[in-house]
Amino acid sequence: MKIGIGEFLMSNTDNEKSNLRRNFPFRLNVFFFIVFVLFSILIIKLAILQFVEGPTLSENGNKKGTRNVLTAPIRGNIFDSTGKPITYSTSTQSLYFSISPNFKKK
């Protein structure tokens, strides 16, 4: 039995189509597995960053974001309407605040 060229080409393309149909689920599964592994790595890295390195990174950020600057606590003198000084400013590095029992928040 002889096979013509047209029959040979049709049978060849049918074989390729059936091979593609067989390989498609396998390729799809491999793709989903790779995506799953990449997302798992990402989630693990984020968890390590948040829970293991988080306190250290937060402390380093606070050190960079704030700094202590000494300023002179000079407020200036207060004068009455005639120009006579009522109070004088004295330099001190302490600030005190006491709450009296009659203090009410508004």
Side-chain angles (χ1 to χ4, degrees):
M1 174 175 192
K2 292 186 178 180
I3 298 176
I5 263 283
E7 293 173 3
F8 177 73
L9 289 177
M10 289 184 78
S11 65
N12 195 13
T13 57
D14 288 341
N15 286 338
E16 288 176 6
K17 286 181 184 178
S18 64
N19 284 339
L20 286 176
R21 286 184 193 141
R22 275 189 238 133
N23 289 334
F24 182 73
F26 175 74
R27 288 180 183 177
L28 191 62
N29 287 338
V30 169
F31 172 74
F32 283 131
F33 179 74
I34 290 172
V35 170
F36 173 76
V37 169
L38 290 175
F39 276 113
S40 298
I41 291 170
L42 179 67
I43 289 171
I44 290 170
K45 180 62 179 170
L46 289 175
I48 290 171
L49 187 66
Q50 178 71 34
F51 298 114
V52 177
E53 298 175 6
T56 306
L57 294 174
S58 178
E59 184 178 316
N60 289 343
N62 288 336
K63 286 179 184 177
K64 290 180 181 178
T66 60
R67 62 182 172 172
N68 294 331
V69 178
L70 296 177
T71 57
I74 298 172
R75 307 253 184 241
N77 299 332
I78 299 175
F79 301 98
D80 66 1
S81 61
T82 61
K84 183 178 175 184
I86 297 174
T87 62
Y88 297 96
S89 177
T90 58
S91 179
T92 181
Q93 292 294 328
S94 300
L95 175 67
Y96 297 99
F97 180 77
S98 59
I99 299 176
S100 65
N102 298 330
F103 181 76
K104 294 181 182 178
K105 289 184 180 180
K106 290 187 180 182

